[in-house]
Amino acid sequence: MLTKRIIPCLDVKNGRVVKGVNFINLRDAGDPATLAAAYMDEGADELTFLDISASNERRATMLEWVKVVADSISIPFTVGGGITSAQDAVNIVAIGADKISLNTAAVRNPELITECAAILGRQAVVVAVDVKRTGGEWSVFVEGGRTRTERDGLEWCKEAAERGAGELLITSMDRDGTKEGYDTEFLNLASNATNVPIIASGGAGTMEHALQAYAAGADAALMASVFHFGEIRILDLKKYLRKNNVPVRI
């Protein structure tokens, strides 16, 4: 049985890790490389780094901090934010990232997913899907959650997987930073509609929330503020999950 993963997420802005609620009201959470090394030592399975203002500011990912982080850890890590071409993706992998995460550029040019998968292998391509519930449906947002698109969340998950995404990183904007739990309804829908691993994001506040995400079909639980501010320790979370019959690597 495949183990379930725990993935700390570091949202980076101006070279610092930040965290907010519903994608706004950001507060400083520390230095990326320092946090990365600490999470590796605590037992994180992977790390995800998102340059959260790159797309909105129409610039490329800051390669300087990617390299610094790559040099400080030995576990897989994903980098996203501002990747607009296959060459951008190749450049980021070349300096140490294991996977790249596409969001805004993939929504606007879905063929980018296929291009990156052809060059890097689909296992290295993560498509991040930021969704917000409107009635009984979920809308896709881009540019760090600032811009609503006409795309339906579930249909976009299906298309992204078909085009070559190796994983889907699904973030509920409604739940982000609230610590009220993941949007398990959408996670379940996406899991049943696609055949790629699902990473749950947005809303983790307790250890039970990770348990609920896995039960809904997620393969990994991504968390940010609960780790950044010491509310949950990774090893404690893994022990809790193992006690509840979830296969994890300790």
Side-chain angles (χ1 to χ4, degrees):
M1 183 181 295
L2 292 176
T3 57
K4 301 295 187 180
R5 291 169 289 153
I6 299 295
I7 306 176
C9 181
L10 286 77
D11 293 329
V12 179
K13 184 180 174 105
N14 299 324
R16 298 288 292 178
V17 176
V18 296
K19 187 56 191 170
V21 177
N22 304 130
F23 283 40
I24 59 175
N25 299 324
L26 304 178
R27 58 173 171 155
D28 188 274
D31 172 70
T34 301
L35 284 173
Y39 290 144
M40 179 182 70
D41 292 341
E42 288 180 23
D45 297 296
E46 299 182 15
L47 294 169
T48 291
F49 295 79
L50 302 177
D51 188 341
I52 61 172
S53 60
S55 292
N56 185 57
E57 294 172 2
R58 304 295 198 278
R59 61 169 172 77
T61 304
M62 295 174 62
L63 298 182
E64 298 83 8
W65 63 259
V66 175
K67 189 174 190 314
V68 169
V69 170
D71 290 343
S72 66
I73 62 175
S74 59
I75 58 176
F77 84 110
T78 301
V79 174
I83 299 172
T84 60
S85 69
Q87 188 59 55
D88 288 343
V90 169
N91 292 343
I92 288 173
V93 170
I95 59 175
D98 298 274
K99 306 176 189 179
I100 55 95
S101 177
L102 303 171
N103 190 337
T104 301
V107 172
R108 292 178 173 155
N109 174 26
E111 184 61 26
L112 178 61
I113 302 170
T114 308
E115 293 172 5
C116 289
I119 296 171
L120 302 174
R122 68 181 298 158
Q123 81 288 341
V125 179
V126 179
V127 171
V129 182
D130 296 337
V131 293
K132 190 171 186 178
R133 188 163 187 160
T134 51
E137 300 179 344
W138 288 263
S139 298
V140 174
F141 280 68
V142 296
E143 296 182 336
R146 294 172 178 82
T147 305
R148 180 180 176 179
T149 73
E150 297 302 314
R151 285 191 173 272
D152 172 77
L154 190 58
E155 292 304 314
W156 175 231
C157 285
K158 293 179 190 177
E159 181 178 346
E162 290 168 357
R163 286 182 176 273
E167 293 182 285
L168 298 175
L169 168 54
I170 297 175
T171 300
S172 166
M173 291 180 59
D174 301 296
R175 302 297 186 95
D176 178 70
T178 66
K179 301 180 184 178
E180 295 176 355
Y182 299 101
D183 186 341
T184 54
E185 183 179 355
F186 188 77
L187 291 174
N188 187 249
L189 289 170
S191 175
N192 289 330
T194 63
N195 60 355
V196 298
I198 301 292
I199 304 170
S201 172
T206 68
M207 296 185 189
E208 186 180 7
H209 290 155
L211 200 62
Q212 293 168 351
Y214 297 135
D219 300 271
L222 183 142
M223 299 182 178
S225 60
V226 291
F227 290 153
H228 299 340
F229 304 115
E231 296 165 39
I232 296 176
R233 296 295 180 187
I234 294 173
L235 182 58
D236 292 340
L237 175 56
K238 287 193 167 186
K239 288 178 178 178
Y240 167 82
L241 292 170
R242 178 170 285 185
K243 183 178 178 181
N244 284 275
N245 302 313
V246 175
V248 292
R249 184 180 295 108
I250 295 181

